[in-house]
Amino acid sequence: MSLCISGLLLACARGAARSTPSEAALSDDGPVSPCNQEPTRLDTDVQVFITASPANKVHFSTTDVKVGAGQTVQFVSQVNQDRCIVVADAGLLASGSQNPLTVAACGTASWTLLATDKSKDETALWSCPTTSDGGCSHCADAQSIRETINGKLEVTSGGGV
C-alpha cells in the first residue's frame, strides 16, 4: 500500500512539510540527546542530518532531499540513538542497497540512487529507532505519523551511467 494512502507521509505533493518536532518520534525509547562530538562525514553528494529538537525528539534537518539519479545520499546522525531510515520506494535505490538503512548513533550511513529515470520523481523518507536487537523490524509497520520522522526524497535528474 502506498505510504501516501496509509498516511505516513507529510505530503505526497511537493510543498512545505507539516510535521513539527513535537509530532515526530514520540515513540522513541532511549537516549535521543545530541552527540557529544560531531560524527565523521563521508564524501558524498548530499547530506541529511538527523538531529534532536529542544523537546528531545528526533527529526531530519530537512524534509526535502533533492538528489540526482546516481547520486549518494548520506545520513549523519547527531543524536545518541541508533536509527532506521526507510525509503518508501526501494526501486529508487541502487542494487544491493540496504533498506531500511541502519544509521548508528552519532554515526553515518548512505544510499546510492539508481542512475535511471523512474515514473515519479519523489518518494517518502521516514525513520524510527532501532529495536533492542539492533534491527528495524517494527519500522515496516509504523502506525502513524507520530511514530516516524518524515521527509521526501526528490530525484531531480535522470538518465543512465
Side-chain angles (χ1 to χ4, degrees), residues 9-146:
L9 290 180
L10 295 176
C12 295
R14 293 177 194 213
R18 294 182 311 229
S19 179
T20 63
S22 62
E23 289 177 323
L26 291 181
S27 64
D28 282 355
D29 295 320
V32 293
S33 57
C35 299
N36 290 331
Q37 61 186 30
E38 194 168 303
T40 301
R41 298 175 197 162
L42 304 174
D43 183 18
T44 57
D45 297 286
V46 177
Q47 292 180 345
V48 178
F49 298 96
I50 305 167
T51 59
S53 73
N56 218 27
K57 302 301 178 184
V58 181
H59 62 97
F60 290 145
S61 59
T62 178
T63 55
D64 295 313
V65 184
K66 296 182 180 180
V67 291
Q71 286 186 293
T72 298
V73 185
Q74 180 188 22
F75 292 84
V76 183
S77 178
Q78 296 183 323
V79 297
N80 188 21
Q81 186 187 64
D82 294 345
R83 307 298 304 181
C84 299
I85 310 294
V86 180
V87 171
D89 182 0
L92 287 175
L93 302 178
S95 178
S97 292
Q98 181 184 353
N99 189 36
L101 178 69
T102 303
V103 184
C106 306
T108 62
S110 61
W111 281 308
T112 300
L113 281 87
L114 281 173
T116 57
D117 286 312
K118 303 302 287 184
S119 59
K120 59 182 181 178
D121 62 1
E122 65 184 50
T123 191
L125 300 177
W126 55 279
S127 174
C128 70
T130 61
T131 54
S132 58
D133 62 0
C136 301
S137 58
H138 76 285
C139 289
D141 194 30
Q143 297 301 305
S144 72
I145 194 171
R146 293 181 176 275

